[in-house]
Amino acid sequence: MTAYENLMAFARETQALSLIAGRLEWDQETMMPRGAAPQRGEECAAIASVLHARRVDPKVADWLNALETEELDGVAKAQLRHIRRSHNRASKVPAALAATIARVTSQAQGIWAEARAADDFAAFAPTLEEVIKLKREEGQALANGGDIYDAMLADYEPGTTGAQLEAMFGALRPELSALRAAVLAAEAPAQLTGTFDEAAQMKLTRKLAKAFGYDMTHGRVDKAVHPFSSGSGLDVRITTRTNPEDPFNCFYSTIHEVGHAAYEQNIHRDYLLTPLGEGVSMGVHESQSRIYENQIGRSRAFTGWLYGEMRDAFGDFGITDEDAFYASVNRVSDGYIRTEADELQYNLHVLLRFDLERALMSGDLQVSDLEAAWNDRFAADFGFAVDKPSNGVLQDVHWSVGLFGYFPTYSLGNVYAGCLHEAMRAALPNLDGQLAQGDTSGATTWLRENVQTHGGLYEPREVIANARGADPSEAPLLAYLKEKFTGIYGL
């Protein structure tokens, strides 16, 4: 076997083990007995140790060095780019630290869940301090004297810096705040009324998943506290949640996660179980979930079809026509929860977290001051006070599992989605006619061909630039939001 063949065989085994680790995490969120958490922490630590050892294995460096002068095609070069990046990163992090982080974050997830249920941030604070201490140690090792937060961002959005995001988000925040204020001053659309059977919600949500192209022969839909997508290739699973008074929570959480899952399912099969066989970054990943959920799923055309489906499933729910239903789906209202936030205000939630976690990593903000800092920023951005920790600092799982640098990719994904939507509309002038029939295939095929099939072949910004024909910019997102919400609210 050649050096390249040996390297790729090794990489495929590593990728398979990584997916097994992901399946453990899926099980922890969906099926695992509550009392199994301490043991699961040890299991996660064990597999993390194995993965770390493989990623720093000297044979990887030998194969990479042997291939330095080889003539390789574009796919092979892209595979090596990912393997080299992973090897360099893993080589900087001591094996004991990697295992400790895996063990502590696995256990921290359960502690966070209990603190959230009890609305007791103080019960979680010591654990969060330990997680932050470990992540700072990891960040310092990765940054090699550079910016710790930039080193963490590289795990989720290679090639992007905190300063770049600060500039982009700085352009978004005032525009979003001004539009939010104008919308909330106008008359609000009607809301759904009544109780919506949760079994009927799950039946319709599975129909929605299939309508957006989710392949149920290689996936499944389960319930979890925090909706997520897990897996890649031939086994991609999603979760959702139900609320008897708010079926939109279930339906749009599902569509969102299907966007993630479709990305993973639609990557070219030649890349299966290789570094190219998964989404290239969390920003690009989020662009798929957000464009499925919002620009497609909350469009006037698609909501017209959904209105009929909901009437069939639930009967009368207080909305009398399709236009009123579209306005209700896109209703802007005060709320605490990021995952339940309307499309207009969502990014303000993310920007809050981006600033706070950056301050936590730099040491400018201490965990003992985090809850107060969160509440102050929330009041400044949203105009009302946080009522309890589960609606504030304890609402997200990310920090408990050490995902620092992850939050900003949600808003970056929205920016990317805005760029893709602009290009997709130009390419598909008859899209609304299809969506009005519940047919998303034109949109999902365009996204598959222009984004999803490539997996990790290109760098993140390159994926969007190739699809759009121009570099990524926040301008299309802002233009889309202004046109949509000024229309709905008659501004």
Side-chain angles (χ1 to χ4, degrees):
M1 291 177 69
T2 66
Y4 182 73
E5 290 170 335
N6 281 317
L7 178 60
M8 291 308 300
F10 190 84
R12 286 187 178 91
E13 288 184 352
T14 303
Q15 190 72 7
L17 288 168
S18 178
L19 290 172
I20 291 170
R23 204 82 68 246
L24 285 175
E25 294 170 2
W26 171 86
D27 176 72
Q28 184 168 345
E29 287 290 305
T30 56
M31 304 290 186
M32 187 188 80
R34 206 157 124 202
Q39 178 176 311
R40 181 55 51 87
E42 294 300 320
E43 293 167 359
C44 290
I47 198 164
S49 293
V50 171
L51 284 167
H52 186 271
R54 292 182 68 85
R55 287 167 179 151
V56 301
D57 193 309
K59 294 195 298 288
V60 174
D62 292 341
W63 288 322
L64 288 170
N65 289 335
L67 291 166
E68 284 287 350
T69 58
E70 292 288 326
E71 289 291 328
L72 301 169
D73 63 22
V75 170
K77 288 178 181 177
Q79 298 281 19
L80 294 190
R81 183 179 75 243
H82 286 277
I83 293 170
R84 187 174 291 109
R85 182 180 286 156
S86 174
H87 178 72
N88 289 342
R89 182 198 182 284
S91 297
K92 294 176 181 177
V93 180
L97 177 59
T100 300
I101 289 173
R103 181 184 300 109
V104 169
T105 54
S106 176
Q107 294 169 351
Q109 187 172 4
I111 296 168
W112 162 79
E114 291 179 1
R116 181 177 179 271
D119 273 310
D120 185 1
F121 178 68
F124 176 57
T127 300
L128 180 59
E129 286 180 341
E130 184 176 8
V131 171
I132 289 173
K133 176 179 175 293
L134 290 168
K135 293 300 292 184
R136 278 181 181 157
E137 188 176 343
E138 180 188 57
Q140 287 166 351
L142 293 170
N144 195 27
D147 186 276
I148 291 176
Y149 193 73
D150 285 353
M152 293 178 175
L153 272 175
D155 277 346
Y156 311 108
E157 200 65 25
T160 297
T161 68
Q164 289 173 328
L165 292 175
E166 185 177 23
M168 178 180 285
F169 295 166
L172 281 175
R173 192 178 178 196
E175 298 279 354
L176 293 175
S177 295
L179 183 56
R180 173 188 177 274
V183 163
L184 289 176
E187 182 178 354
Q191 287 183 281
L192 301 190
T193 58
T195 301
F196 299 82
D197 179 73
E198 293 181 77
Q201 287 187 44
M202 289 302 295
K203 182 178 179 180
L204 181 51
T205 210
R206 287 185 170 91
K207 185 172 185 177
L208 283 167
K210 293 176 183 177
F212 276 84
Y214 184 50
D215 182 355
M216 295 289 282
T217 64
H218 293 110
R220 54 182 290 141
V221 182
D222 294 278
K223 291 174 70 172
V225 173
H226 192 104
F228 66 96
S229 174
S230 173
S232 189
L234 304 181
D235 188 350
V236 187
R237 309 178 187 192
I238 67 170
T239 66
T240 190
R241 59 186 172 198
T242 57
N243 180 333
E245 297 178 354
D246 180 13
F248 292 157
N249 192 313
C250 177
F251 300 151
Y252 285 99
S253 290
T254 298
I255 295 170
H256 179 99
E257 298 307 333
V258 166
H260 284 303
Y263 188 2
E264 295 293 337
Q265 288 185 335
N266 289 331
I267 293 171
H268 200 293
R269 285 287 184 264
D270 287 352
Y271 304 157
L272 188 68
L273 292 179
T274 77
L276 300 191
E278 58 186 7
V280 69
S281 75
M282 286 315 304
V284 177
H285 236 302
E286 197 64 17
S287 76
Q288 302 307 283
S289 62
R290 295 300 280 181
I291 199 171
Y292 274 52
E293 175 189 357
N294 292 322
Q295 282 92 341
I296 302 172
R298 296 183 195 271
S299 67
R300 171 61 183 84
F302 186 79
T303 57
W305 175 82
L306 180 58
Y307 176 68
E309 294 295 313
M310 284 190 62
R311 294 277 293 190
D312 291 344
F314 304 109
D316 181 26
F317 47 79
I319 304 293
T320 57
D321 61 69
E322 293 180 5
D323 286 331
F325 182 77
Y326 167 61
S328 182
V329 166
N330 290 285
R331 191 176 191 270
V332 177
S333 58
D334 287 334
Y336 301 103
I337 307 300
R338 173 186 61 85
T339 56
E340 299 172 7
D342 54 75
E343 189 179 3
L344 173 56
Q345 299 185 92
Y346 181 87
N347 289 302
L348 293 173
H349 288 269
V350 176
L351 271 52
L352 177 155
R353 291 154 174 76
F354 167 67
D355 289 339
L356 291 181
E357 71 173 18
R358 215 171 160 207
L360 284 169
M361 283 299 112
S362 69
D364 291 338
L365 176 63
Q366 302 303 312
V367 170
S368 57
D369 300 319
L370 176 59
E371 184 174 14
W374 179 294
N375 292 346
D376 289 346
R377 171 65 180 269
F378 187 89
D381 281 358
F382 295 95
F384 60 102
V386 173
D387 61 345
K388 56 184 179 180
S390 58
N391 281 336
V393 70
L394 286 178
Q395 70 177 266
D396 295 299
V397 70
H398 300 61
W399 290 339
S400 71
V401 294
L403 297 180
F404 291 89
Y406 193 114
F407 272 125
T409 65
Y410 287 127
S411 281
L412 186 59
N414 279 327
V415 169
Y416 288 166
C419 295
L420 293 172
H421 179 244
E422 179 185 63
M424 182 175 71
R425 284 284 177 180
L428 304 174
N430 297 320
L431 179 58
D432 281 338
Q434 296 175 2
L435 295 179
Q437 302 301 313
D439 178 7
T440 70
S441 61
T444 55
T445 298
W446 189 90
L447 289 166
R448 181 179 71 245
E449 293 174 351
N450 287 278
V451 177
Q452 296 165 3
T453 189
H454 303 305
L457 184 61
Y458 305 110
E459 293 284 17
R461 289 177 62 87
E462 191 179 4
V463 172
I464 306 304
N466 288 345
R468 184 193 181 205
D471 287 338
S473 164
E474 69 277 0
L477 175 64
L478 286 171
Y480 156 77
L481 290 173
K482 288 176 182 178
E483 179 181 6
K484 180 174 188 175
F485 287 98
T486 56
I488 291 172
Y489 280 82
L491 300 176

